[in-house]
Amino acid sequence: AQSVTQPDIHITVSEGASLELRCNYSYGATPYLFWYVQSPGQGLQLLLKYFSGDTLVQGIKGFEAEFKRSQSSFNLRKPSVHWSDAAEYFCAVVPTSGGSYIPTFGRGTSLIVHP
Amino acid sequence: DGGITQSPKYLFRKEGQNVTLSCEQNLNHDAMYWYRQDPGQGLRLIYYSQIVNDFQKGDIAEGYSVSREKKESFPLTVTSAQKNPTAFYLCATSLAGTQYFGPGTRLTVL
């Protein structure tokens, strides 16, 4: 079975600073990889996804993520954080075999943005 | 507009009561899911359904039940057997691995 680790429970950055949120996964092959964002009291919204091909993927709101097979990582980055980026961020993996597409989510990283 | 609706947004339950959370979608997706979210625990899968009239238990199905009589609807019943039901409940659909989420229902046991 696959697993996902988001090692940082909370991250605090200043507005305008760069951001990197870490995600490591365990799976026997390359899974489908996702980042979702959740504002308080709301559902999750897809930021970006990786299925195959170019290992640097662009998403909405100026986010990008890089898939590194050798490190089993899919870290999320943003060059300049805005106060509106404060939210909970979830990494998820979906197995590419079996056909069930049942995702496994990390426990989330809470992003705090200081003015 | 295509999307997922969940109702009610807030729900209060007395101990010993069953309550049903609604989830409706017009995305025409076959697969639907229910998750429970508690602070610091991420999303935990309760039940999922990949086709009408069929559903499977997830990781924490005890104390919950579902039905899938229509493609558009996947209601979740929280039964009195669920000992700690206070949580945020999220419904989702899926297409080729990508999940699409509803706005959630917050259930509180009084």
Side-chain angles (χ1 to χ4, degrees):
Chain A
Q2 67 271 20
S3 66
V4 180
T5 301
Q6 292 181 245
D8 303 305
I9 298 174
H10 303 282
I11 283 196
T12 301
V13 299
S14 297
E15 191 169 15
S18 63
L19 171 70
E20 183 170 34
L21 302 182
R22 295 182 290 165
C23 173
N24 293 97
Y25 68 88
S26 174
Y27 182 62
T30 299
Y32 296 152
L33 295 157
F34 302 83
W35 276 99
Y36 294 88
V37 60
Q38 184 183 32
S39 297
Q42 298 185 22
L44 279 68
Q45 180 185 18
L46 178 69
L47 279 176
L48 47 76
K49 59 188 176 184
Y50 173 80
F51 282 6
S52 65
D54 192 346
T55 57
L56 185 64
V57 294
Q58 303 297 319
I60 61 171
K61 305 185 181 188
F63 285 91
E64 66 178 26
E66 185 173 13
F67 167 58
K68 292 186 177 181
R69 185 190 312 272
S70 61
Q71 298 177 19
S72 297
S73 69
F74 189 55
N75 293 350
L76 182 71
R77 302 195 294 244
K78 187 170 185 178
S80 178
V81 170
H82 188 262
W83 64 267
S84 60
D85 293 324
E88 190 90 15
Y89 291 81
F90 293 93
C91 180
V93 300
V94 170
T96 51
S97 63
S100 67
Y101 294 126
I102 306 300
T104 299
F105 288 86
R107 293 196 168 195
T109 297
S110 178
L111 175 63
I112 301 165
V113 180
H114 281 314
Chain B
D1 272 343
I4 302 167
T5 57
Q6 291 187 242
S7 62
K9 186 170 178 63
Y10 298 97
L11 186 57
F12 298 91
R13 189 192 95 169
K14 294 181 180 179
E15 288 197 18
Q17 282 184 335
N18 293 354
V19 292
T20 297
L21 283 60
S22 170
C23 177
E24 302 281 331
Q25 59 112 349
N26 61 6
L27 299 171
N28 201 34
H29 292 168
D30 287 317
M32 297 187 74
Y33 304 75
W34 274 105
Y35 294 95
R36 171 179 172 142
Q37 188 176 27
D38 297 280
Q41 298 213 34
L43 278 69
R44 292 185 289 170
L45 183 63
I46 305 173
Y47 269 98
Y48 65 97
S49 168
Q50 295 182 309
I51 198 167
V52 174
N53 292 322
D54 186 53
F55 49 83
Q56 307 295 328
K57 292 182 179 180
D59 300 319
I60 57 164
E62 185 176 351
Y64 300 97
S65 65
V66 294
S67 63
R68 186 84 187 276
E69 297 176 0
K70 300 187 301 182
K71 187 174 186 177
E72 300 80 13
S73 179
F74 191 39
L76 173 73
T77 296
V78 184
T79 75
S80 57
Q82 172 49 238
K83 296 306 177 189
N84 185 23
T86 294
F88 190 56
Y89 291 86
L90 286 161
C91 178
T93 67
S94 175
L95 182 65
T98 302
Q99 299 250 309
Y100 300 85
F101 288 86
T105 292
R106 184 165 300 280
L107 173 63
T108 302
V109 173
L110 303 174

